[in-house]
Structure formats: structure tokens, C-alpha cells
Amino acid sequence: MPQTSIQARLIKSFSLAILIPSLTTAVVGVLMIRRQVLDQAQGRIASDLSAAQEIYQNVVDRLKGSLRIHATRRVIYGALDGGDRSGLAMELERVRRDEGLDVLTLLDRSGRAFHRTRNPALAGDDQAWDELVRRVLTRMTPVAATAVVPPEELEKESADLARQAFMEITPTPKAGPTGRTRQSSGMMLKGAAPVFTADGRMVGVLVGAVLLNRSTALVDKIRTVGFREGVYRGQQVGTATIFQDDVRVSTNVKNADGSRAITTRASAEVADAVLRRGETWWGRAFVVNDWYLAAYAPIHDLGGRRIGMLYVGTLERPFLDSLVRHLYVFLGIALLGVVLVSCVAVVIAQRISRPVRAISEAAHDVAGGDYTRKVEAGSQDEIGQLAASFNRMTEELARANQELREWGENLERKVEQRTAELREMQAHMLRTEKLAAIGKLAAGVAHEINNPLTGVLTNSSLMLADLPPGDTRREDLQTIVDETLRCRTIVKGLLEFARQTKPQKQVLSLNAIVEDVLGLVRNQASFRNLEVTTALDANLPFAMADRDQMRQVILNLVLNAAEAMPEGGAITVRSRAGAGGGTVEVAIADTGPGIPDGTKEKLFEPFFTTKKTGTGLGLAIVYGIMEQHKGAVHVESALGQGTTMTISLPTTNEDVA
Ligand code: ADP
Ligand code: MG
């Protein structure tokens, strides 16, 4: 059987049918999961950004609030109003430290420096250039905002501040082209509040500021307060950075050596979107040595100019890991589904192919001649029907084959029968022809011999009568007479055998003829030792036959029986209607020596004899007569047990005449 079985083909088709939807599902599923994780990340970064912005604004607002409160203190407005400076310097320095400010400066009503906490020696210069100061002087309300402060102004407050702000800009591959290699201005959270006297006159401005460059307080606060998650595999998940223009000035992103990653620049793409176009930029960013999901928002100063950026980033790895975990689970389930469906496919394929294979094997057996082969019908479907049809077909085949064989055997038997009949007919014709030829010859010879023979017999008999007793020639003459008599018997037999006349048929009873013949021979010398009995059927049908010829037939047979038993024995003559009707039979049975098989065929040939003085014509005559009567004669003999000669004749419906 070919190895590309139905089963294999079914499994192949099933696999294809499974593969296409499962591939589609896998692709769609992966895309959906990715989308969902990315959405989740997007949401996360958006909420981180708004938290960061809120905290940033909160710090600015707090700065404004605390300056407003401190500005109402008597020690401050007293100094400006009445010139009582005792305790001012100490008090302002205490406030600066308490509030964690880098700058705390008191200005007079015209905006000139009255007292610098960190540089008391320098006073009197005009600070009205400052937007915030101008705003307070004109509107008389507190204000706070991010501001870029030039290096000489930083220097005025403190040399330390100027140093803290100064940065050598690190060249950054993706950043836009720039001529700057250093940055000496500083980005500050700056607040200013009007100083009022007890009776409500504005006598000055209290200015406070925090330098963001190299400071970590704000970004660390954003991270600890604003971001939900802390550490993922030893790495900070959330990071925040403040840019002055496109330069990182404050961050909690760490370099590989643990230092803070400042002085580098944002990529040109980000700077373009955020600083030039004022957009919020979302996307992936490779920061230091990891991928982050990042958001950049612009930082404005009081006049609405974009002076920097606030960045928040969340490590991408947790999202990727979650994505991979989701994918594993999803693909696992999909794979399990494919395996399950494949198992089902294999089972179904087997269920379909098994009966087909059974039928195929059975067909093979049937082709090999085993018509008893049956297939189990099993299911009710087409395959079941196929099995049933197959079984029907096999039965039909078996029946047809049986018929053919019987027909063949029948034919053979008939041919044999016909051949035997033909052979028998040929033999019969041969015998008849042979007998006719011999008969003609014999008749001619006998006729010619008969007259001279009569002459010889008459004259020799007369001569014998004339010779006196004791004459020596008597013995010779007696021999002549005897031999001539024997010749006459032969000639008589020949004439009888060759008789050409048609039988004079009449209705007669064979029983009567049997009685006649037995009456004639019973008293002869040769019958003295014999026991002759008859068993004649009283209701024997009549036959149409020549009476004399029938007598001769019975006589010849009875004489042969007697001659076969010279030492004595029994002769039984039976008559009966032939089996099957239409014939009468007479059987003459003796208890003689029987006839050997080899001679049985020659019995009816003329001149066949086993006796010293036999003519061999007796049975030939019987045969001829029976032939002319459309009757038959046949022999049954067993060596040492006896012989039965049976003649049969057709019956007639006529009664005895
Ligand atoms: P013949 O009697 O002159 O020999 P038949 O033609 O009458 O010639 O018989 C031929 C031969 O058939 C006989 O010689 C004998 O051998 C054999 N035969 C005939 N009838 C019998 C019989 N009843 N028992 C044994 N042999 C027989
Ligand atoms: Mg004889």
C-alpha cells in the first residue's frame, strides 16, 4: 500500500487548515498585546509627566507663598522704612537657610539692592531689569516663575553660585549643531514678594531663588513623590531631568560611574519639537545606557518664553518584560490550541482512514480469490455504505464464481459423457460393419461348401454302411463322416450367422420361449449334472420378435452356460420387465468359472472360442439377432463365481395373436 495514505493527506490538510487561522490569530494577538502594553506605557508616562509638572508648579507656588509671608515681617519692612538694620542680616540669613534658598535679597522701593544675604557688601545696584521685580513693583502682588539668570547677576549674589551654574557642555551625538561649548548662566526658580509696612505702604521687594543647575532636590522630589514605582532589577524606573534650553542641568539619571548625567544635550529632534514648536514630545529615548519611554514638556519663564524642558522617563524594560510575558502566555495558549486541534485532527483522520484501509485490504484479499472476506460496516455514513456495498459485491462475486465453477464442471461431465457415447457408437459401428462383411463372406463360402459337403457326407456314410464289421478301413471312414458332420455344423452356424432375411416379428411371450428351449435340452446328456431353475415374471410384458430367432438366442446362451460347467452346477433363468420400463429382459445365470476381463470384449466376435470343438459363432449370432431386433445383450461375470448373460427387447402394447 502506498505510504501517502489517506490518513497522511487528511492530517496534512488539517494541519494547513489549522496553521492559517492560528498564524493569523498569533499575529493579530501579538499586535493587540503590543498595542495594549504600549497604551499602558503611554498612559503611565502621561500620568508621570503631569505629576512631575504638578510638583514643579507646587514648588514654585510654595516659594511664592513663603516669600509673601516673610515679606510681612517687621524686621524686614522696619529696616527699609525706618532704617533700623539691626538684626536684618541675621534674620534674612536664617530665613534663607530655613527655606533652602540659594538667593535671598531685599530690594528697596525703587528696585535697588538693599541687602544681599550672601553678599552683603554689594548693594545699591538696580535690579529693576528683572521681570519679576518689575511685576511686583507695578502690581504689588507676589510672583514666582522659572527664570534664566545671567552669570554676572549670579556672581553678584555669590561666586559659588556662578561656579555651580557654570557648565562645560558635553558634545552629544544626536544633538543639533551649536557654537556653544559652555554655559555660564543659570536656571532658577525665582520668586518675589512686595514688602509692606504695617500701615500698608509698599517699601520694597523680597526676592528669593533656588538655582536648579547641579541641584538634585527638585528632580528627586519629583521622583519620590510623583512616580509610583521605585526600582526594577536594581534600576530606578522613573527618572526626571530639567533642561536649561537643551542642556541637562539637573537630573537623577545616573552615569555608569554613578555620577549624575548632566551637561549633555537633548537630541535635535526633541529640542526642535519642544523648544522651537512648544509641543510635548512623546517617545522612546535611549538615555545613558537604557531605553526609556520619555516625555518632554517645555518650561516657560514669566514672559511665556520657552527657556527649558522638563523630562520624565520611565524604564522601558518592565513594559517589554510584561509584553514578553503576555506574549509567552498567549503563544502558549495558541500552541496548546494547535496541539489539541492537531490531536483531534489525527483522531478524526484515523477514524476516517481506518475503515477505508480495511476495505482496501479486504479488496486486496478478494482480488487474491478470498471471497469469504467481509468488512465491518461500522458507521452509518458513506464509508459504512461503502463497506456494505463492498460486502454485497463480494457475495455477488462469490456466487458468480461458484456458478462459473459448477457450469465448468457440468460442461466437463457432459463432454466426458458425450465422448464416451461417441466412442461407444464408433465401436458399435465398427463391430456392425465388421460383422456384416464377415457375414457376407461366410454366406458365400458356406453356400458353396454346403452342396459338396452333403455329397461327401452321403457317399462316406454309404461307404461305411457297405463295409463289413471289422474292416480296417471303417475307422478311417468313420473319421471322415464325423469331421464332415462337424463341418456341416460350422456351415450351418455360418449360414445362421449370415442370415440376410429380415426377422418375422410377432407378438410373443419370452417366458414361453424359455420354457420351450429348456424342455428341449433338459433330457440331454450334458444336462445330467446340472440343476436348472427358472424365475419367470408371470406379468412379463410381450415383445415383438421372431420366434425362431429368439429360440436360437436362448438356446445358444443356455448351451454356453452348460458347456462352461462340465463338472456340474446350476443354471437359473429369470425374466422381468426392464428397469425404467419399455423393455423386457431375460437373464441366464450360471455358476461356472466366469470370464476374465481381457476376453469379455472379444466374446461377440465371430470365431472367438476357447473350446476345442467350438465354432465361436454362438454369441456372434446372438449379437446379430439382438441387433436386428433393436435389442441388446450384455455380460456380467466374476471369475470363479459365474456368468450372467442378459438380453433385452423392446416391449409392445399388442396382445398375443
Ligand atoms: P463356442 O461356444 O463355439 O466357443 P460362442 O460364441 O458360443 O462359441 O462362445 C464363445 C466363447 O465365449 C466360448 O468359447 C467361451 O469361452 C465363452 N463363453 C460363452 N459363454 C460362456 C459362459 N456362460 N461361461 C464361460 N464362458 C463362456
Ligand atoms: Mg457356443
Side-chain angles (χ1 to χ4, degrees):
M1 198 184 293
Q3 217 39 58
T4 50
S5 58
I6 286 187
Q7 188 177 331
R9 282 222 303 278
L10 280 174
I11 290 175
K12 213 155 72 186
S13 318
F14 273 132
S15 306
L16 268 180
I18 296 160
L19 211 63
I20 291 163
S22 48
L23 274 180
T24 318
T25 311
V27 169
V28 170
V30 165
L31 289 178
M32 273 169 60
I33 289 172
R34 209 180 81 103
R35 182 74 262 154
Q36 210 196 328
V37 170
L38 287 182
D39 282 354
Q40 192 190 340
Q42 189 74 46
R44 170 72 190 281
I45 197 70
S47 85
D48 279 359
L49 180 63
S50 67
Q53 284 175 316
E54 206 164 296
I55 290 163
Y56 190 97
Q57 192 55 47
N58 200 34
V59 169
V60 173
D61 288 349
R62 263 191 51 207
L63 176 62
K64 183 169 79 178
S66 67
L67 285 173
R68 188 175 57 83
I69 289 166
H70 288 298
T72 59
R73 297 175 65 174
R74 186 189 166 79
V75 66
I76 292 175
Y77 71 76
L80 283 171
D81 196 30
D84 176 15
R85 296 184 68 135
S86 64
L88 175 70
M90 231 172 66
E91 183 58 21
L92 281 181
E93 180 59 16
R94 194 184 58 78
V95 169
R96 189 184 72 79
R97 285 182 196 280
D98 283 357
E99 296 294 337
L101 298 174
D102 291 317
V103 170
L104 187 61
T105 298
L106 189 60
L107 309 178
D108 63 15
R109 180 67 181 84
S110 61
R112 288 176 192 281
F114 183 77
H115 177 78
R116 282 192 165 89
T117 38
R118 295 185 67 180
N119 192 7
L122 183 65
D125 58 304
D126 186 14
Q127 286 292 316
W129 59 267
D130 187 334
E131 238 177 355
L132 282 101
V133 173
R134 246 191 349 264
R135 175 81 64 93
V136 174
L137 287 175
T138 53
R139 297 194 190 168
M140 293 189 291
T141 51
V143 68
T146 317
V148 175
V149 180
E152 59 277 9
E153 289 301 324
L154 293 172
E155 195 76 40
K156 284 181 189 166
E157 300 302 330
S158 151
D160 286 349
L161 269 188
R163 256 199 309 282
Q164 187 184 331
F166 181 81
M167 281 181 183
E168 296 276 2
I169 296 170
T170 311
T172 312
K174 279 182 175 170
T178 178
R180 296 185 300 155
T181 55
R182 57 189 53 152
Q183 178 175 273
S184 46
S185 59
M187 190 146 92
M188 299 188 103
L189 296 183
K190 205 167 178 184
V195 179
F196 290 106
T197 58
D199 52 359
R201 281 177 297 114
M202 195 184 88
V203 289
V205 181
L206 183 62
V207 178
V210 177
L211 182 63
L212 295 175
N213 302 39
R214 295 187 204 276
S215 124
T216 58
L218 181 54
V219 288
D220 287 352
K221 188 172 184 179
I222 286 173
R223 187 169 68 197
T224 50
V225 178
F227 300 163
R228 278 164 294 177
E229 264 166 75
V231 177
Y232 184 82
R233 294 190 188 166
Q235 222 168 345
Q236 293 294 339
V237 174
T239 55
T241 301
I242 293 165
F243 290 79
Q244 180 185 339
D245 195 29
D246 64 348
V247 179
R248 286 184 179 84
V249 294
S250 172
T251 185
N252 46 29
V253 177
K254 299 258 175 67
N255 281 323
D257 61 5
S259 63
R260 302 224 173 202
I262 51 175
T263 74
T264 51
R265 295 169 61 216
S267 71
E269 184 196 344
V270 171
D272 237 42
V274 180
L275 293 172
R276 306 295 164 266
R277 299 199 297 274
E279 294 163 2
T280 300
W281 189 92
W282 310 94
R284 293 174 81 220
F286 190 82
V287 179
V288 184
N289 48 20
D290 253 312
W291 282 98
Y292 285 81
L293 297 168
Y296 294 78
I299 297 174
H300 300 99
D301 68 1
L302 191 65
R305 288 174 293 274
R306 294 185 283 272
I307 55 169
M309 299 185 285
L310 177 62
Y311 152 94
V312 293
T314 184
L315 204 57
E316 191 185 42
R317 178 112 41 81
F319 293 101
L320 286 182
D321 288 355
S322 140
L323 177 67
V324 168
R325 266 200 313 277
H326 279 92
L327 286 185
Y328 278 160
V329 170
F330 172 80
L331 290 178
I333 290 171
L335 202 74
L336 203 74
V338 168
V339 168
L340 268 176
V341 173
S342 301
C343 289
V344 171
V346 168
V347 169
I348 290 175
Q350 272 179 352
R351 198 173 293 166
I352 291 174
S353 73
R354 201 183 299 124
V356 171
R357 195 165 46 220
I359 290 172
S360 154
E361 281 168 5
H364 192 261
D365 288 354
V366 170
D370 179 6
Y371 296 112
T372 60
R373 196 73 153 78
K374 286 267 171 320
V375 185
E376 232 166 276
S379 52
Q380 284 293 308
D381 54 12
E382 287 86 343
I383 290 175
Q385 286 167 13
L386 178 63
S389 306
F390 177 84
N391 287 341
R392 259 203 312 285
M393 183 197 77
T394 312
E395 279 165 24
E396 289 291 323
L397 262 175
R399 200 168 36 246
N401 189 54
Q402 177 67 22
E403 270 171 18
L404 206 68
R405 204 168 36 225
E406 277 171 9
W407 191 74
E409 281 169 5
N410 221 10
L411 193 71
E412 224 167 273
R413 239 195 334 273
K414 271 189 184 150
V415 167
E416 264 170 28
Q417 198 179 319
R418 285 284 143 83
T419 311
E421 278 174 16
L422 211 69
R423 204 175 288 135
E424 171 59 28
M425 217 150 80
Q426 262 180 337
H428 182 74
M429 269 167 63
L430 210 72
R431 209 153 45 218
T432 311
E433 268 173 36
K434 198 163 145 194
L435 289 184
I438 292 170
K440 252 187 210 159
L441 181 75
V445 173
H447 193 73
E448 290 302 318
I449 287 175
N450 207 23
N451 288 342
L453 208 59
T454 309
V456 172
L457 185 61
T458 311
N459 288 324
S460 56
S461 298
L462 286 174
M463 279 169 74
L464 190 63
D466 287 350
L467 281 181
D471 192 311
T472 50
R473 286 169 299 176
R474 273 189 82 93
E475 203 176 329
D476 295 335
L477 265 178
Q478 188 60 50
T479 305
I480 290 170
V481 169
D482 287 351
E483 288 302 305
T484 311
L485 274 173
R486 210 168 84 82
C487 280
R488 234 184 37 175
T489 317
I490 293 171
V491 168
K492 209 173 137 208
L494 269 176
L495 284 172
E496 243 154 59
F497 167 68
R499 184 173 14 224
Q500 299 292 315
T501 55
K502 276 212 163 163
Q504 304 294 307
K505 284 186 187 171
Q506 53 181 308
V507 178
L508 48 82
S509 161
L510 285 178
N511 284 350
I513 290 173
V514 170
E515 296 291 5
D516 270 6
V517 172
L518 289 185
L520 223 90
V521 297
R522 253 203 190 104
N523 296 320
Q524 286 191 8
S526 48
F527 281 80
R528 211 161 293 149
N529 296 330
L530 296 173
E531 191 187 321
V532 181
T533 51
T534 56
L536 301 177
D537 183 353
N539 300 317
L540 193 69
F542 295 111
M544 280 288 272
D546 184 306
R547 183 183 297 272
D548 288 338
Q549 288 183 8
M550 279 307 125
R551 260 199 202 127
Q552 172 129 41
V553 166
I554 305 281
L555 181 66
N556 283 359
L557 296 178
V558 169
L559 285 178
N560 272 353
E563 282 162 10
M565 302 180 289
E567 306 299 328
I571 297 175
T572 312
V573 185
R574 290 188 191 82
S575 71
R576 62 178 178 217
T583 56
V584 281
E585 293 179 355
V586 175
I588 292 98
D590 62 50
T591 56
I595 303 162
D597 274 344
T599 58
K600 261 184 201 163
E601 295 89 57
K602 302 181 202 151
L603 286 186
F604 297 99
E605 282 182 14
F607 309 116
F608 174 78
T609 180
T610 58
K611 299 167 192 165
K612 254 201 189 125
T613 57
T615 61
L617 286 170
L619 288 180
I621 291 166
V622 167
Y623 187 87
I625 292 171
M626 293 321 292
E627 197 79 339
Q628 279 187 318
H629 281 78
K630 305 211 173 355
V633 53
H634 88 268
V635 199
E636 266 173 274
S637 183
L639 276 181
Q641 287 182 18
T643 305
T644 303
M645 305 288 286
T646 309
I647 57 160
S648 72
L649 275 176
T651 56
T652 176
N653 291 329
E654 287 174 55
D655 230 331
V656 190

